[in-house]
Amino acid sequence: DSCSIIGDDLPYDHVQFPGVVPRTFTGAFVLSSIAKTISWVIPKQIFNLPSHPMIVQFLIRLELLLLSWMAHVRLSNSLEGYVSRQIMQPSSPKQTHQWQSTIPPMMLSNYYLLITASQFHIPFYSSRLLPNTFALLLVTHAYAEWFNSNPRRTAVYLVFATAIFRCDVLLLLFTVGLTMLIRRQLSIVQAVSTGVLTGVFSLLLTVPLDSLLWRRPSWPEFEVLW
């Protein structure tokens, strides 16, 4: 339970064995909070969840797996909607022929889910408590928003993933952001305001929590980037 890593006498070794770089506790905090809520709902007379650490770990990984699955389902639905809109409202007769000659939107959505599920890495890592998994979840939502013609929400997800979970997403944020600017889906003012507001909100989430748990002032992804 990451919510409880406060006292020096608790059996957590992340300070003693910190690894090469610090990582955020934000994702683990959210999942453990959900598990904590479930443990409050279930009467201890029926089942005392905190006394079964293996079941707690299974529950938390199941939560992350479900969130990852929901993100991919949402992306597949967004992809289906995007292709359907292109068929119904083409920008030119040539584009009409191109879209009508492709796979039907529903089949395209199903193919995406099938290909994703048949790979090794995504199903394997979808329930692992790694920054990459949380970042992938947010990036998947970002692409879903992009297909749904919500460029500002796309930027919000990418900035959030960059500032909290994986600074490497900065490369994707740059390329996707530049594409949205070139295609005039976002203005420069909208891009800057969205980035600044989301960045500040992200720091308000990650810095206090991670500073508390790492027992020193810490913005993990900045330390990784620096």
Side-chain angles (χ1 to χ4, degrees):
D1 187 350
S2 297
C3 300
S4 303
I5 310 175
I6 297 176
D8 291 333
D9 57 338
L10 293 178
Y12 297 101
D13 59 0
H14 65 284
V15 176
Q16 186 179 1
F17 304 102
V20 179
V21 291
R23 289 298 185 185
T24 184
F25 288 90
T26 305
F29 179 82
V30 172
L31 296 178
S32 61
S33 298
I34 297 173
K36 195 78 171 179
T37 303
I38 294 174
S39 70
W40 287 339
V41 171
I42 301 175
K44 290 187 178 181
Q45 295 80 1
I46 298 177
F47 187 76
N48 188 12
L49 186 60
S51 64
H52 297 80
M54 291 299 295
I55 296 180
V56 172
Q57 183 183 35
F58 175 82
L59 175 61
I60 289 177
R61 293 191 63 168
L62 178 62
E63 293 170 15
L64 184 56
L65 177 63
L66 290 175
L67 291 174
S68 300
W69 173 75
M70 289 168 60
H72 285 289
V73 170
R74 184 164 180 252
L75 177 55
S76 70
N77 292 335
S78 300
L79 180 61
E80 179 182 340
Y82 174 79
V83 174
S84 298
R85 289 193 300 273
Q86 295 301 315
I87 294 175
M88 297 297 295
Q89 300 175 345
S91 58
S92 65
K94 182 179 179 181
Q95 192 180 53
T96 303
H97 175 72
Q98 289 176 341
W99 283 111
Q100 289 179 344
S101 62
T102 59
I103 302 172
M106 183 175 293
M107 290 186 63
L108 187 64
S109 171
N110 292 335
Y111 277 139
Y112 166 77
L113 292 176
L114 179 62
I115 292 172
T116 302
S118 62
Q119 297 181 64
F120 169 77
H121 281 88
I122 291 182
F124 179 76
Y125 280 100
S126 289
S127 68
R128 299 195 69 186
L129 300 174
L130 300 172
N132 306 36
T133 306
F134 292 102
L136 177 61
L137 194 157
L138 293 175
V139 168
T140 305
H141 280 294
Y143 274 106
E145 293 291 356
W146 202 8
F147 280 125
N148 286 333
S149 302
N150 294 317
R152 296 194 73 169
R153 292 183 183 178
T154 302
V156 167
Y157 278 112
L158 291 177
V159 172
F160 199 78
T162 302
I164 295 183
F165 294 109
R166 287 294 300 195
C167 61
D168 316 62
V169 182
L170 184 64
L171 297 174
L172 186 62
L173 174 62
F174 173 76
T175 53
V176 172
L178 183 62
T179 301
M180 292 191 292
L181 288 173
I182 293 174
R183 298 175 65 177
R184 297 184 179 180
Q185 295 175 319
L186 275 181
S187 66
I188 295 179
V189 174
Q190 288 176 327
V192 172
S193 62
T194 301
V196 170
L197 291 175
T198 307
V200 170
F201 179 74
S202 301
L203 293 182
L204 291 175
L205 286 178
T206 185
V207 172
L209 175 64
D210 292 316
S211 297
L212 173 66
L213 298 182
W214 284 111
R215 302 172 189 176
R216 60 178 175 80
S218 178
W219 175 12
E221 287 311 300
F222 179 77
E223 294 185 36
V224 173
L225 184 64
W226 187 256

